[in-house]
């Protein structure tokens, strides 16, 4: 298996633009997670899905952020409009289920100018 | 809400020495996870500790969990340069909820 695949690897955009991050989890994994990593705040869980259903989105910073999982093999995280403070590395991770380790993607380095 | 604290935040140690990273968490959590992150890279799972008294070892790393003390430790034996990385512990907030709260990380540098 290729592991969790994220795209793009790097994204540079201007403030106010829409940004869409994409994730393909490992086949057969039931849970998918979006994390954000910054120097100041560390690793924060934004949202997680189980069987394509959002279970906990309490970490989504504000209405500018939205996430979808239309099927078991694809998820998106959208920021609209983007702001400089959204600059971070966004990780997608998947797991087979509860009490199982997370498999992380390579991350998307987002820079909002 | 679960809080996870690690110490130290930074650790510089010589090759061949032993050291321990500590992970304290604030509420009852039966499960504790350790991850490694190399600079500019993703996170890689090291250990999953699922019960009180659990101990797991892989090479020069050994992790343990004491749920009564709300403490997990990651012990490094005879450190080698390849172990230089940032180590994170993470706990689950509620049983059956897969939401992981990560600690701040311990940045470990092994000096030859």
């Amino acid at each position: 298996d290729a592991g969790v695949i994220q795209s793009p690897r790097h994204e540079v955009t201007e403030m106010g633009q829409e940004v869409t991050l994409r994730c393909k989890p490992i086949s057969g994994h039931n849970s998918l997670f979006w994390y954000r990593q910054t120097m100041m705040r560390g690793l924060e869980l934004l949202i997680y899905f189980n069987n394509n259903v959002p279970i906990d989105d309490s970490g989504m910073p504000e209405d500018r952020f939205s996430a979808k999982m239309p099927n078991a093999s694809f998820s998106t995280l959208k920021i609209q409009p983007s702001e400089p403070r959204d600059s971070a590395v966004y990780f997608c991770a998947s797991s087979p289920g509860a009490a199982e380790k997370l498999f992380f993607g390579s991350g998307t380095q987002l820079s909002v100018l | 809400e679960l809080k996870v604290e690690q110490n130290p935040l930074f650790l510089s140690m010589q090759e061949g020495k032993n050291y321990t990273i500590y992970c304290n968490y604030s509420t009852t959590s039966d499960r504790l996870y350790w991850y490694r992150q190399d600079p500019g890279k993703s996170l890689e799972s090291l250990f999953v500790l699922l019960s009180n008294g659990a101990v797991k070892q892989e090479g020069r790393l050994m992790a343990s969990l004491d749920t009564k003390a709300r403490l997990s430790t990651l012990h490094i034996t005879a450190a080698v340069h390849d172990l230089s990385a940032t180590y994170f512990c993470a706990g689950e907030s509620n049983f059956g909820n897969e939401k992981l709260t990560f600690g701040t990380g311990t940045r470990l540098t092994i000096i030859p």
Side-chain angles (χ1 to χ4, degrees):
Chain A
D1 200 318
V4 176
I5 300 172
Q6 289 186 247
S7 64
R9 289 294 305 275
H10 302 275
E11 177 81 31
V12 180
T13 190
E14 291 186 344
M15 182 174 64
Q17 296 298 305
E18 177 180 298
V19 175
T20 300
L21 310 182
R22 296 173 176 80
C23 176
K24 177 177 167 41
I26 293 173
S27 177
H29 282 194
N30 296 325
S31 300
L32 181 140
F33 306 78
W34 283 102
Y35 280 88
R36 176 171 70 177
Q37 186 176 35
T38 60
M39 288 293 291
M40 292 298 295
R41 300 176 67 89
L43 273 160
E44 303 173 280
L45 177 66
L46 300 177
I47 185 171
Y48 89 89
F49 297 84
N50 184 264
N51 291 322
N52 312 340
V53 176
I55 302 300
D56 189 329
D57 65 354
S58 59
M60 295 287 262
E62 47 198 273
D63 292 345
R64 298 185 297 106
F65 285 69
S66 62
K68 293 182 179 180
M69 192 164 186
N71 58 61
S73 59
F74 184 66
S75 176
T76 59
L77 178 67
K78 185 178 293 187
I79 309 172
Q80 166 63 18
S82 58
E83 296 183 3
R85 60 190 166 129
D86 302 330
S87 298
V89 179
Y90 291 81
F91 286 105
C92 176
S94 69
S95 84
E100 298 281 351
K101 63 184 180 181
L102 302 185
F103 293 78
F104 281 81
S106 299
T108 294
Q109 173 78 61
L110 173 65
S111 298
V112 183
L113 306 177
Chain B
E1 183 178 328
L2 176 66
K3 287 183 170 36
V4 180
E5 292 185 353
Q6 287 181 239
N7 69 83
L9 298 183
F10 298 93
L11 177 57
S12 183
M13 53 190 292
Q14 287 187 316
E15 278 189 330
K17 299 291 187 182
N18 304 334
Y19 209 82
T20 301
I21 298 171
Y22 297 89
C23 175
N24 292 91
Y25 51 94
S26 61
T27 62
T28 302
S29 177
D30 288 333
R31 301 170 185 168
L32 201 291
Y33 304 76
W34 284 95
Y35 289 83
R36 168 183 171 146
Q37 185 178 35
D38 292 307
K41 302 293 186 183
S42 186
L43 283 86
E44 174 190 354
S45 176
L46 292 174
F47 300 110
V48 179
L49 303 169
L50 298 179
S51 61
N52 186 40
V55 177
K56 290 198 174 177
Q57 183 164 4
E58 178 79 28
R60 299 174 188 274
L61 301 177
M62 183 174 71
S64 65
L65 177 61
D66 181 343
T67 58
K68 294 179 181 178
R70 298 179 184 169
L71 171 69
S72 180
T73 59
L74 181 66
H75 187 73
I76 302 149
T77 301
V80 293
H81 181 68
D82 287 351
L83 292 179
S84 295
T86 299
Y87 293 85
F88 292 93
C89 63
E92 282 185 0
S93 300
N94 297 297
F95 182 81
N97 183 326
E98 298 178 69
K99 175 178 178 178
L100 287 187
T101 299
F102 280 80
T104 50
T106 296
R107 187 164 180 175
L108 174 65
T109 303
I110 309 296
I111 303 167

